[in-house]
Amino acid sequence: MVNEPTYSFGSTDNVRCYPLEVQLAGGSQPSSVHGVLLDDEPVAVISNGGGASGVHQHSAVFKDGLLYLAVGDSVACLSLESAKLIWSVKVDLATCFGIYFDEDNTALISHGELEIARLSEVGEILWRQSGSDIFSEGFVLHSKFIEVIDFNKQAYWFRYEDGVSVSP
């Protein structure tokens, strides 16, 4: 994945030409634009509103032939084989900081600024939890629970199966 902040949808003047262009926020001004490359070849470019997100280690998860991307306030699922959008879902009121997959719990988890959510393979939000402040100070997938720390250094622990708050 690459950041594409100057990408102009529908233009032939872009540095890269992507066969698939997806604007999750419709025609409104995007806060985030991310390109997907496969073997250095452009596959898809996706934009969204909400809080700005950048490309980093937890911007995407590749699982069973599908790419799950954190972009703006949403997670999008792309098929790289057919270069098409499978689904997208808004996972946070502000920004999705990252997307994670825990093998042992078969859990797709979004780390949002205001909410932690577990997603199904078809883009349904199975559960979501929030805290007293923004989740900006830590995020760890443990074997039995997800640990997240808010701006005030308060720790939260959520079970994978149902999002219920637990003690470690």
Side-chain angles (χ1 to χ4, degrees), residues 29-104:
Q29 184 67 28
S31 60
S32 306
V33 182
H34 304 318
V36 177
L37 308 175
L38 183 60
D39 297 326
D40 291 325
E41 291 295 319
V43 174
V45 62
I46 186 166
S47 72
N48 199 10
S53 59
V55 173
H56 54 82
Q57 179 181 358
H58 297 291
S59 295
V61 168
F62 184 72
K63 180 77 177 137
D64 298 330
L66 298 175
L67 186 67
Y68 301 92
L69 304 140
V71 58
D73 59 9
S74 299
V75 170
C77 176
L78 298 175
S79 166
L80 297 183
E81 184 178 316
S82 60
K84 73 176 189 177
L85 177 69
I86 306 297
W87 53 259
S88 68
V89 62
K90 183 175 178 173
V91 293
D92 196 84
L93 295 171
T95 306
C96 181
F97 290 155
I99 186 75
Y100 299 75
F101 185 78
D102 184 84
E103 284 287 340
D104 293 339

